Amino acid sequence: MATLTYHGHATFSIETDGGKHLVIDPFFGDNPSCETSVDDVSADFILLTHGHYDHVADAVPLAKRTGATVIASHEIAKYMEGQGLTTSPHHIGGGVQYPFGYVKMTPALHGGMLELPGGEAFTTVPAGFLLELDGGQRVYLAGDTALLMEMQLLKGRVDIAVLPIGDRYTMGPQDALRAVEFIEPKVVIPCHYNTWPPIEQDSAAFATAVGDRARVEALKPGATFHF
Ligand code: NI
Ligand code: MN
């Protein structure tokens, strides 16, 4: 059994069946919906979808303390190497086998600036991740993205889809519903909403709209999901 913990906004940690700790888009200290201190988080691998501050804010200190490997696009990996971190670069469409499973980097339609000190030279494309974990679970983390036709390629390949619903910067609930129709996951975990007023959304209304297409697990920050 694997455990996913939602830390609010778009920050998640996953403990796999094999006991590896993954952290996705670490944004703890400045995240208004997060009550967890980054100092209390375990990490063997840190996955970064893109360089916006609300996805990478705590990546460097977390990786330095834990020695975790940073999985990110080539350009963000270059920046992280410059910070003295261990990295595993990917690019869109490329997968790598890790001790916890297989990770493929998927497309996302969004901005690509790396919003960390000195990061201006490391502009890159944003991404999502498709994970095939050691326990057999298939998890799609869409990242910050618009609805993509490419999501249709994921149909039947995803058990759990983590989708942004906040609107304004990413898909809103209506397009996230279309993403559910494209992907046909068993479970949908909404994210990237209610962190600040401009991305307030009603996750219960989203769950009602999804209906019997999938089970919506609208996790409160700090809540866990076992799968
Ligand atoms: Ni972003
Ligand atoms: Mn974001």
Side-chain angles (χ1 to χ4, degrees), residues 50 52 54-55 110 144 192:
H50 66 296
H52 287 165
D54 57 317
H55 298 259
H110 190 66
D144 282 11
H192 214 276

Side-chain angles (χ1 to χ4, degrees), residues 1-4 14-21 133-137 139 160 215 224-227:
M1 184 85 79
T3 302
L4 175 147
I14 295 174
E15 182 175 357
T16 68
D17 291 38
K20 295 293 186 198
H21 293 89
L133 299 177
D134 46 18
Q137 309 94 334
V139 182
I160 300 166
R215 193 166 102 237
T224 57
F225 175 71
H226 302 283
F227 61 103

Side-chain angles (χ1 to χ4, degrees), residues 9-10 25 27 49-50 52-55 110 115 143-145 164 169-170 192 196 199:
H9 197 54
D25 287 353
F27 177 46
T49 60
H50 66 296
H52 287 165
Y53 184 76
D54 57 317
H55 298 259
H110 190 66
E115 294 179 323
D144 282 11
T145 185
Y169 300 112
T170 67
H192 214 276
W196 302 282
I199 55 171

